[in-house]
Each structure stands twice: as structure tokens, then as C-alpha cells.
Amino acid sequence: MNIDEFDARIRAVPNGGVTSAQGFMAAGVHAGFRKDPKRLDMALLVADEVCPVAGTFTQNRFCAAPVTVSRAHLGGVGYGMARGVVVNSGNANAATGGAGIAAAHETCDIASQVLGCEPEQVLVSSTGVIGQILDIEPFEEGIPAAADALSRAGGSDAALAIMTTDTHPKEYAVTYESQAAGYLGSTFTVGGCCKGSGMIMPNMATMIALITTDAPVRPETLHGLLRSAVDQTFNRVTVDSDTSTNDTCIMFASGKAAPMLDPIDEGSDAYQELERAIYVVCEALARGIAADGEGSTKLVTVTVSGAATPQDADTAARAVANSPLVKTAVAGHDCNWGRVAMALGKCGVAFNQEDVDIDIMDIPVCRGGLTVPFDEDEALRRFEAPEIVIAADLGAGDAQATVWTCDFTHDYISINADYRS
Amino acid sequence: MNIDEFDARIRAVPNGGVTSAQGFMAAGVHAGFRKDPKRLDMALLVADEVCPVAGTFTQNRFCAAPVTVSRAHLGGVGYGMARGVVVNSGNANAATGGAGIAAAHETCDIASQVLGCEPEQVLVSSTGVIGQILDIEPFEEGIPAAADALSRAGGSDAALAIMTTDTHPKEYAVTYESQAAGYLGSTFTVGGCCKGSGMIMPNMATMIALITTDAPVRPETLHGLLRSAVDQTFNRVTVDSDTSTNDTCIMFASGKAAPMLDPIDEGSDAYQELERAIYVVCEALARGIAADGEGSTKLVTVTVSGAATPQDADTAARAVANSPLVKTAVAGHDCNWGRVAMALGKCGVAFNQEDVDIDIMDIPVCRGGLTVPFDEDEALRRFEAPEIVIAADLGAGDAQATVWTCDFTHDYISINADYRS
């Protein structure tokens, strides 16, 4: 498949989100995890019938109870069949021991009764403060209320309900007409929503992301597609180098857009189309997380090329993206490439400093490891853009990697110094 | 040697510093690297005669020209014989290519003529902005002026002259009477000064530290003593996880306190006394760097015990110390142990969350991975202290490690967003 040709055919769905694909409904309600009655704090996403699902989860050893329970419901392999997922904000249900596991199971029980499925066909996810017992009562009223409110338009409320310190909901969807053998003329949709926005350096998945498609896919195939997309998108976002205890990314495939057709086979043209569409949605959502990082005013895209190995490229790009000194320089609109050089140099990857080129906002600022005179006024002007692009070429090979982050501002400090108060 | 018994005998030198040991003189002058004529910006430390010297330097691949030149003057092995060291602030002479190397050599040439020694017997170090050519002119007037001003009292001016964003100079010295065979009754002194205070996560040495002793030591022995102390002190400080291009720690041994005695042999009782004295000075200076980290209001000491291996303990302690979410919680006086748990869990070291205990300011806040109710008012009161102690026991072994850092405040952002302007 020609990716450029496919990208020209793929279309963003206006106001698209997690319910843009056929066969899904969602709702967001105020269940009572938060004090403010106007704030939505519980989301329910449901497929019309039990359908293939896949998930990826945090690698943090202090993993939250809902991660443990959802992993178990996916049979420990990351994929299976499920009907829906319940997400609450305001409490992470992490470091809560047996009581937390019990609360996660009870949530699945309540949802299974309301939806008429097995408890193992429900997944759960939580986000918020760590170390506080999760109250079950809000679910007892919230899940039936959410079930009553389920609709194709409910994706937006679901996106609102999973937010913590996010300043706005993050949703995206794309649609395309397949030109692949066996699926010619079928229109498939992939959509999703997610939340950031602190404790973000996902290691397997983002904080919370829900993705759906109406393409027909087997659970195991879906898992492979999701893992690949997560690895290239959510796992390349870092707000603060801190990995959440609750990272969860769940994807459902209803098959509703082509109910009479066989599941899409791995490696086929139809697979490649779907793979790309999932990537595009996840990339949009992942960039959304980075851009809305706590206190952020800028999306920062760091690309390292010319690395000796893909691992080196990734390590170097993360070193730049995680450097507080680089991130504060961006906040200060300071084209201070010395800090980029410092970050490249500290991370242990192989290169010679005399081979390094650095561009900031397409301005060559370092060539062969040496400073290049540049127009500071022009640099200041380019720093007004909403996305700051930092590109470094190590001159040590052919590998490259991109990582997304945000700038580091006073508001990050304010948000996190006062988080529990 | 009994360390407790030795620690009871060792004495801090009132207002001690890098010239407290016999055989050294120093000066700090305004040479012109900075605009403010009142600000000292060049330090000169000189031994009465050429004497043993050792150095440890940054591992950052973008290493600065003075690091390259000083390494060469120490024969590439980190030790040798030297007369003195010239340090400037205001310009790091990093990423400056051949012109930077030439400037560092020229600095040594000027100093060698003024001091009457070989250029190879002079070391150099620079700190400040990266990527700007280092002007040689300030050295041409500054080095003779500093040589004229050299004195035993000049250590304080030297400590002032090497500062960048430090809020105050950092100096410390100790003295002790040896009880070791062969040195009984000799009084030895170890002193030093250093600067922080941003781009601080040293990897071999701190940003800049100058240490002296009047004990008689061979160069190679001195190098072993210094490396061991640096590894246990300066290398355990992290302000912002960023490793400078210019980290340099240089130690001279004049032998002046016992000119008739043989050099101290490795492993002897005299060696162990000196080793401990160097450690005490370096620890005091290292803690001073952490406490004076950019924007800092608190010294934060993170101790991880019960780790499976020393490497695990170190990795986990650094993960906590480098976590922006932990550091902002300290800034906000928030006893938010969930963030400590998150940091322990993200770093890949082996433990089970149900075995983890966490204390903050001696308050048990987590036992067996679960929250322990604690008095929030009492916690707030303890957060008024200048040093915040976070202790985690992983319950996975016997290894432990301590790392020093500081809190993360609005002022860090202000200092670094506006650094070049």
C-alpha cells in the first residue's frame, strides 16, 4: 500500500470521536467522584454487542487496581471479547490493595447487570489521586444513569468525563473507503478520545485512551494493530518523564461497517489501510496530550535523525524532550540550542559532537557541533507558533525518532504543588 | 579505622574553604566575562609549588573545551602534577570547536607565564552559556590581576567568582589530627569550594568543585580518593536531571602539613582518615549544591533501602529525586506519597508493591503498599523544615542509596526561561 496515496483518501470526521464508528454508544455523567456537581466524572463506552477488544497498560510496578482487573478480563494476553468500559476520574484506585481490586470488580458487576453481559466482558479504568480507597457508591447510581444516557452523540460527554487537569477534551476520528481486495467500497471509521495531562510518559499506553473502529477484526489482530500504533504514538509522548500508575489504552472493533465480510487478515492491504487509520487517530490524540500537558503553552516536537540505532534515536529524542532546561527555554521563547546539545550529550548515545547539526523552527542554529549565527528576532517571531519543532541530526547513522512534549511553565508548578489541596 | 570515632575527632574549620589547607592561595577577580563590574567572574587557585593533582570530569559527549584541555594536562589518566587552576564564569566555552580549544590552551599559557610553570601544569574550567566563543582578553588582564591578589584568605573570593545562578558561595573545610601509624600527631586539613546550581546531575563530577589538602599523597592515590568521594557525594546530587557539559572536580594535595613524611599509602589507617575527611568535605559541598539548586527552597534527601541491588537502590532513589511531580509536591508542602510510589514503580527496578513502605519527614505514610492515615497538620508543620527527607523501603533486598535534590518551584522556570535574556 502506498501511504501517501492512502493519506490523500483518508478524511477527518467533523467533530469526530469515540462514537464516530458504527456500533458504539457512550455517555459521560456526574456520578459523584468529584465535588462539583457540574463536572462529569464517569464515562461509559458500550458496543452494541460483545465484540473484539484489545488493551495496553502501564508498566509501572505500582499499577492501579483497574489495570490489574482489566488485564485479567483480557485473559492476561491483552485481547478478548468485551461489551464496554467504565472510566472514572477523580480517584486513580491505585495503591489501594485488596479493597481497590474489590471495588474494580464490583464496578464490572454493576455494569454487567445493567448491560446484560458477563462481568468479565466489562473493562475498567480510573484516573485521579493515588492511594485513596475508591468509593463504590457513585458507580451504583452513575452506571445506570450513564446507561440511560447512552447515545451515538455521547462520545463528547465521555471525553469530558475522563479529564483531570486537562484543559479541554481530546477527540479525533477518521473515515476511509477501502480499496483493498475483499473490502472494496466498504467505508471504515476509526475514532477515539483520550486524557492527559500530567504524570505522562506512557510506557505501553497513554494515561487513558479509548479507541473504536467498525472494521471487522479478530481480537488478536486488533491487539497487534493497537500495540503498533501505541508504540509509535502514545508511547512517544512525554509531559514530565513521569509514568502513571494507571495508563490504559483500550480499543474495540464492532465490525458493523462490514458485518457480512470476513475479519481483516494481518498483512493484507485492508490491514495496512486500517493500521494507517489507527495510527493517524492515535497520533492526533497523542499530540493532543502533549499540547495540553500541564501548564503547557506549546506543543514541542523533537526529531532526532542520523542516530546509529533506532534505540539511540529514541533515547536521544526523549533526553531532549524530558530536559527541564530545554522545556523552560521553549517556555521563555529562547532559541538556546546549547541546552539541546547538552541533552543529546548526556544520554549516552553514540555520536561525535563535531558531526551534530541542530535546527530549531527550521532555523539552522548548530552545524558540525558549532554555533551558527542566526537572526534572534526571526527566532523570537517563530516561537510565537503553537508548535515548536526541534530537529537534531547526530551524523552517526540512519535511524530517527520523533517524540512529542510541551514546554515547562510556572503553571506546571502551580498545578502540581497544589494538586491535593 | 572506626568511622564514628574518627568523626568525633574531625573538626569543621570556621569559615573554611579551598585555602584552609596549607600550601594554597586563591583569588577571585572581575576579569570582564560579565558586564557587571562588581561581579567577580574569574578565580585562580594556586599551590605554592607544583604538586599532585587529580580530576574527574563530565561524561557528557558535548564536553567543553576546558574539560578536553584539563583532561589532556592530566595525561588522560585523571591525575598528575600541577601548579594551579583558572576558572571563569559567564561563558562555558562549550560547543566552541577549535577556537574553544585554542582559548583554553591560551589561558594555560598566560597563567603559566604569570606563575612561572609549564602550561601543562595549569588546569582550566569554565561555566556559563554554551556555544559562545570564549574571549581571551579578560584572561590577559585578569590572570595577572588575580596573581597579584593571591592570598590564604582568597578562597572566599574564588568561591564567589565561580558562581552562576547560585544564590550564595559554597565552601567547607575540615581538619583532624592523625592517629595513624607514621603520621601520629600530624594535623591535616581538607577544604574546598564549588558551584551549582542548574544543569546539575553530575556524571563523574559536579559542575565545578575545587578541593585541596595539605596531606602528602601521590597523584594516583589522590585520584582514587577523589573518585571514590565524588561517586558518593557530587554524583548523588540531581537538581534537574540535566548533566552539564562542563562538570569538573579538581583536587590538589600540597603535602605541606607533613613535608618530611612519606606519601600516604592506599589502604593504610592514614589513608582511611583522609578518605573520610575528603568524603565529609565533598558531602557538605554536594548537599550545598542540592540545597541551592535553581529556584530551590528546600534540600530534599531521598533514601531508598531494601533494594535488591545497589544499582536498583540508586536507580529508584534517582527516579524519586528527578520526578517533577515529587519535586513540585515538596514545593507545595504536599505529603503526596502516591507520587513517590509512582516514581519507584516507573523506573524498572524489582519489587512488589505490597512490600513497599514510605516515610516522609519520619511520618509513616505508606505501609505494605497501602496508605496509612496520618496527621496532615503535623505533616504541614514538618514541611517547614529546610531539609525534606523521603525514605522508601522496597522490601526486596538489603541495598540502599541516598540522593540529594531540591524542590521544583516557579523560580526554576523563571531562571531558566529567561537565562540568556
Side-chain angles (χ1 to χ4, degrees):
Chain A
M1 191 190 76
N2 181 306
I3 284 182
D4 290 340
E5 186 269 334
F6 180 74
D7 284 354
R9 286 195 283 125
I10 202 168
R11 295 275 174 271
V13 178
N15 304 312
V18 74
T19 45
S20 295
Q22 296 179 56
F24 299 98
M25 295 192 294
V29 298
H30 172 75
F33 298 101
R34 296 179 179 281
K35 286 173 193 161
D36 178 358
K38 291 186 192 137
R39 183 142 178 200
L40 306 184
D41 57 12
M42 200 204 82
L44 179 65
L45 170 66
V46 175
D48 293 350
E49 292 108 33
V50 168
C51 73
V53 65
T56 62
F57 301 95
T58 184
Q59 296 296 294
N60 193 307
R61 277 180 181 266
F62 255 96
C63 85
V67 170
T68 301
V69 169
S70 291
R71 273 196 185 121
H73 285 188
L74 294 178
V77 293
Y79 55 88
M81 300 291 286
R83 182 75 196 285
V85 55
V86 180
V87 185
N88 74 281
S89 59
N91 184 322
N93 194 12
T96 46
I101 297 286
H105 277 303
E106 223 170 318
T107 308
C108 295
D109 288 345
I110 295 168
S112 68
Q113 285 162 26
V114 170
L115 300 176
C117 65
E118 299 300 314
E120 292 73 25
Q121 292 167 336
V122 177
L123 304 176
V124 279
S125 186
S126 301
T127 177
V129 179
I130 295 171
Q132 293 185 0
I133 297 299
L134 179 64
D135 202 359
I136 196 68
E137 280 168 34
F139 289 114
E140 289 169 352
E141 295 197 2
I143 292 175
D148 286 344
L150 283 170
S151 76
R152 283 295 299 278
S156 299
D157 280 351
L160 280 165
I162 65 176
M163 286 167 51
T164 51
T165 51
D166 302 61
T167 62
H168 57 82
K170 286 164 259 304
E171 305 176 80
Y172 197 68
V174 298
T175 189
Y176 64 97
E177 192 180 305
S178 179
Q179 296 192 354
Y183 303 88
L184 195 68
S186 291
T187 296
F188 295 127
T189 300
V190 177
C193 65
C194 71
K195 61 89 52 191
S197 78
M199 207 178 277
I200 294 284
M201 185 167 79
N203 185 2
M204 278 305 278
T206 184
M207 191 86 173
I208 294 178
L210 306 175
I211 318 286
T212 57
T213 184
D214 47 22
V217 201
R218 289 187 194 88
E220 190 167 355
T221 311
L222 188 67
H223 190 234
L225 285 163
L226 181 65
R227 282 181 61 105
S228 160
V230 164
D231 193 45
Q232 294 301 312
T233 58
F234 295 117
N235 279 358
R236 296 188 171 277
V237 170
T238 176
V239 165
D240 48 19
S241 81
D242 279 340
T243 301
S244 158
T245 50
N246 291 54
D247 293 343
T248 296
C249 180
I250 290 169
M251 180 166 187
F252 291 90
S254 70
K256 287 275 170 150
M260 300 306 167
L261 299 182
D262 286 338
I264 291 171
D265 279 329
E266 198 170 336
S268 66
D269 281 353
Y271 180 94
Q272 289 178 44
E273 288 177 340
L274 182 59
E275 182 177 41
R276 181 67 183 175
I278 295 170
Y279 171 84
V280 169
V281 168
C282 290
E283 188 196 47
L285 293 173
R287 284 169 54 97
I289 288 177
D292 195 25
E294 287 176 335
S296 165
T297 67
K298 305 282 180 192
L299 171 65
V300 181
T301 299
V302 178
T303 299
V304 170
S305 58
T309 67
Q311 182 56 51
D312 274 9
D314 185 71
T315 299
R318 283 177 197 275
V320 175
N322 280 327
S323 162
L325 289 168
V326 171
K327 288 156 66 76
T328 50
V330 173
H333 292 199
D334 183 359
C335 199
N336 187 343
W337 71 267
R339 293 183 181 175
V340 177
M342 171 282 298
L344 295 170
K346 77 174 178 176
C347 68
V349 312
F351 66 85
N352 297 313
Q353 63 171 292
E354 55 267 30
D355 298 331
V356 173
D357 294 343
I358 300 171
D359 288 22
I360 297 179
M361 296 304 283
D362 289 327
I363 300 171
V365 289
C366 168
R367 284 292 174 273
L370 298 177
T371 202
V372 174
F374 62 91
D375 182 340
E376 293 263 6
D377 291 337
E378 173 63 17
L380 263 180
R381 201 185 61 73
R382 295 194 191 187
F383 266 86
E384 295 297 325
E387 179 174 354
I388 304 301
V389 178
I390 298 173
D393 186 328
L394 301 182
D398 294 326
Q400 81 154 48
T402 296
V403 169
W404 296 284
T405 187
C406 57
D407 56 344
F408 215 158
T409 70
H410 287 112
D411 285 349
Y412 180 88
I413 307 291
S414 299
I415 290 164
N416 284 299
D418 306 334
Y419 183 63
R420 293 196 318 153
S421 55
Chain B
M1 189 189 78
N2 181 307
I3 284 183
D4 290 339
E5 186 269 335
F6 181 74
D7 283 355
R9 285 195 283 125
I10 201 169
R11 295 277 174 268
V13 178
N15 303 313
V18 72
T19 45
S20 294
Q22 296 179 57
F24 298 98
M25 295 192 294
V29 299
H30 172 77
F33 298 101
R34 297 178 178 280
K35 286 174 192 161
D36 177 359
K38 290 184 192 141
R39 183 144 178 197
L40 306 184
D41 57 14
M42 202 204 82
L44 181 63
L45 170 67
V46 175
D48 293 352
E49 294 109 31
V50 168
C51 73
V53 64
T56 63
F57 301 94
T58 185
Q59 295 296 295
N60 194 306
R61 278 182 181 263
F62 256 95
C63 85
V67 169
T68 301
V69 169
S70 290
R71 272 196 184 121
H73 286 187
L74 295 178
V77 293
Y79 54 88
M81 301 291 286
R83 181 73 195 286
V85 54
V86 180
V87 185
N88 73 280
S89 59
N91 184 323
N93 194 13
T96 45
I101 297 286
H105 277 302
E106 222 169 320
T107 308
C108 295
D109 288 345
I110 295 167
S112 70
Q113 284 162 27
V114 171
L115 298 175
C117 64
E118 298 300 314
E120 292 72 26
Q121 292 168 336
V122 177
L123 305 177
V124 280
S125 186
S126 300
T127 178
V129 179
I130 295 171
Q132 295 185 1
I133 297 299
L134 179 65
D135 201 1
I136 197 68
E137 278 167 35
F139 290 113
E140 290 170 349
E141 294 198 0
I143 292 174
D148 286 345
L150 283 170
S151 75
R152 282 295 300 278
S156 299
D157 281 351
L160 279 166
I162 65 176
M163 286 167 51
T164 52
T165 51
D166 304 60
T167 63
H168 56 84
K170 286 165 259 305
E171 303 177 82
Y172 197 68
V174 297
T175 190
Y176 63 97
E177 193 180 305
S178 179
Q179 296 193 352
Y183 302 89
L184 195 68
S186 291
T187 296
F188 295 127
T189 299
V190 177
C193 65
C194 71
K195 60 88 54 190
S197 77
M199 207 177 277
I200 293 285
M201 184 167 82
N203 184 1
M204 280 306 279
T206 185
M207 192 85 174
I208 294 177
L210 306 174
I211 317 285
T212 56
T213 183
D214 47 20
V217 201
R218 288 186 196 89
E220 190 167 356
T221 310
L222 187 66
H223 190 234
L225 285 163
L226 181 64
R227 282 180 61 106
S228 162
V230 163
D231 192 45
Q232 294 301 313
T233 58
F234 295 118
N235 280 358
R236 296 188 172 277
V237 170
T238 176
V239 165
D240 49 17
S241 79
D242 280 340
T243 301
S244 158
T245 49
N246 289 54
D247 292 343
T248 297
C249 180
I250 291 170
M251 179 166 187
F252 292 88
S254 71
K256 286 276 168 147
M260 300 304 169
L261 300 182
D262 285 338
I264 292 172
D265 279 329
E266 196 170 339
S268 66
D269 281 353
Y271 180 93
Q272 290 177 42
E273 288 177 340
L274 181 60
E275 183 177 42
R276 180 70 183 172
I278 295 170
Y279 171 84
V280 169
V281 168
C282 290
E283 189 196 46
L285 294 173
R287 286 169 54 97
I289 288 177
D292 195 25
E294 286 176 337
S296 165
T297 67
K298 305 282 180 192
L299 171 64
V300 181
T301 299
V302 178
T303 299
V304 170
S305 58
T309 66
Q311 181 57 50
D312 274 7
D314 185 71
T315 300
R318 282 177 198 276
V320 175
N322 280 328
S323 162
L325 289 168
V326 171
K327 289 155 65 75
T328 50
V330 173
H333 292 201
D334 183 359
C335 198
N336 188 342
W337 70 266
R339 293 182 182 177
V340 177
M342 172 282 300
L344 295 170
K346 77 173 179 176
C347 69
V349 311
F351 66 87
N352 297 313
Q353 60 172 296
E354 55 267 33
D355 298 332
V356 173
D357 296 342
I358 300 171
D359 288 22
I360 298 178
M361 296 305 283
D362 289 326
I363 300 171
V365 289
C366 167
R367 284 291 175 273
L370 299 176
T371 202
V372 174
F374 62 90
D375 182 340
E376 291 264 6
D377 290 338
E378 172 64 16
L380 264 180
R381 202 186 59 74
R382 295 194 192 186
F383 266 86
E384 296 297 325
E387 178 173 356
I388 304 300
V389 178
I390 298 172
D393 186 328
L394 301 183
D398 294 326
Q400 81 154 48
T402 295
V403 169
W404 296 284
T405 186
C406 58
D407 57 342
F408 215 159
T409 69
H410 287 114
D411 284 350
Y412 180 89
I413 306 289
S414 299
I415 290 164
N416 283 300
D418 306 335
Y419 183 63
R420 292 196 319 152
S421 54

